Amino acid sequence: MARLGRGAGVTGPAASKDGKGPFAAVPGYAADLRRDRQGAGHGEEGARSLPPLPDAAGTAGRVARSFARGMASYDGAALAQRRIAARLFAAYRRAAPGHRPARVLEAGYGSGHLTRHLLGLRPARLWLNDLAAPDLAGVAADYLPGDVAAVALPGAVDLAASASMIQWVADPGLVMARLCAAVAPAGWLAISSFAPGHFPELRGLGSRAAAPSYLSGAQLAALLPPGWQVGGAGEWRIVLHFPGALEVLRHLRATGVNGCAGQIRSPGALRDFLARYEARHGGARGVPLTYVASWLVARKD
C-alpha cells in the first residue's frame, strides 16, 4: 500500500471519471487514467504479469487498480512502508526472541518489504497473499492471490504477519479474526496499520482522503479474539522530507496513495495547495510528510 498490502486511497484516481481528479495537474496523471480505464497494468516501464483485478466498483477493486498502476514506482518510493516493515519484524523478534516458525503466512505482501525479513526466519513453508501483486522474483512460496477477507487461508501457521494492509479493508475485525484463526496454539501474530493521526499535514490543509479503517495500536489489540496475549502494541511516527509540496504529491502518486482526494481539481487549485503546504510546513529541510503507523504483536494461548 495497500492492493491491500500497501497504502492506497479508496477514492484514488481510478474513481475520477472526468480526468480532473486530485492528481489531474500532476505530470503523468492523464496517462495513468487512460490506462486505468482500459484495464491496463503498467506499460513498458515496469511490465509484469498481473492477475485479473476485481470489480472496480468495490473498495478492493479500486485499491487493486491504484497499486497495479503504480507498482513499477512503488518499491523505490515506499520509504516509510519499508521502515514500518522493519520495525514490525523487530517488534516481533523482541516479543518472541526464541520463536522459530516453520509455517508462516503473510497477508498483503506487496513488493516484499516484510517478506524479506520473514525469509530470514527460514520457514519450511511460506504463504503469501495479496490482492494485486505478482509473484516476487526469486521467492519460492505458496501464493494466494485475492481479497484477504475471502481467499482461503492455510491453517495451523506459526506466524501470521501483515504490514500496512489492514487499514484498507472494509471490515478489519473480520480480517483479524481470519488471521488469528489461521494461527496454531503458541503461534504469533504481527500486524501493522495506519493510525487515526496519519498524514497530519494533508489533513490540516483540508484533505478528506482516508483509509476505511485507521486503527490505533490499542484498537488493533481490541480486535483480538479471546485466547490471545498482547506482546506489544503502539504507534510509530515516520517523517519524510521533500524539497517541496509538488514532490510530496509525486511521492503519494508513486506509492498509490491519493492523499488529496477531492481537493485539487484544477491547475489553480494545485498552485494554491502547493503554496499553502509550503507556507505552513516549509523549513530548512524542505517540507515534511508524516506517516503514523500502528502495530500489534500477540501470542495465541
Side-chain angles (χ1 to χ4, degrees), residues 87-99 188-190 229-233 295-299:
R87 291 185 183 186
L88 179 63
F89 184 77
Y92 154 68
R93 296 311 285 160
R94 284 195 300 271
H99 192 227
W188 287 81
L189 172 75
Q229 301 297 322
V230 174
W295 63 279
L296 168 70
V297 174
R299 182 181 183 275

Side-chain angles (χ1 to χ4, degrees), residues 90-115:
Y92 154 68
R93 296 311 285 160
R94 284 195 300 271
H99 192 227
R100 295 292 181 266
R103 295 163 58 86
V104 174
L105 165 67
E106 182 185 357
Y109 65 90
S111 59
H113 292 153
L114 180 58
T115 313

Side-chain angles (χ1 to χ4, degrees), residues 198-255:
H198 190 50
F199 288 163
E201 297 88 356
L202 298 177
R203 290 188 298 106
L205 292 173
S207 174
R208 300 188 300 275
S213 304
Y214 285 163
L215 298 164
S216 67
Q219 288 170 325
L220 285 173
L223 294 179
L224 289 170
W228 282 79
Q229 301 297 322
V230 174
E235 285 83 45
W236 298 309
R237 294 176 67 87
I238 297 174
V239 183
L240 304 182
H241 286 87
F242 300 88
L246 183 59
E247 286 76 14
V248 171
L249 293 188
R250 287 173 173 158
H251 166 79
L252 294 172
R253 176 175 170 269
T255 54

Side-chain angles (χ1 to χ4, degrees), residues 92-142:
Y92 154 68
R93 296 311 285 160
R94 284 195 300 271
H99 192 227
R100 295 292 181 266
R103 295 163 58 86
V104 174
L105 165 67
E106 182 185 357
Y109 65 90
S111 59
H113 292 153
L114 180 58
T115 313
R116 296 180 183 104
H117 295 283
L118 297 176
L119 289 171
L121 298 171
R122 300 184 181 276
R125 194 164 182 187
L126 173 65
W127 288 268
L128 296 178
N129 159 258
D130 205 290
L131 188 62
D135 293 0
L136 298 176
V139 177
D142 292 281

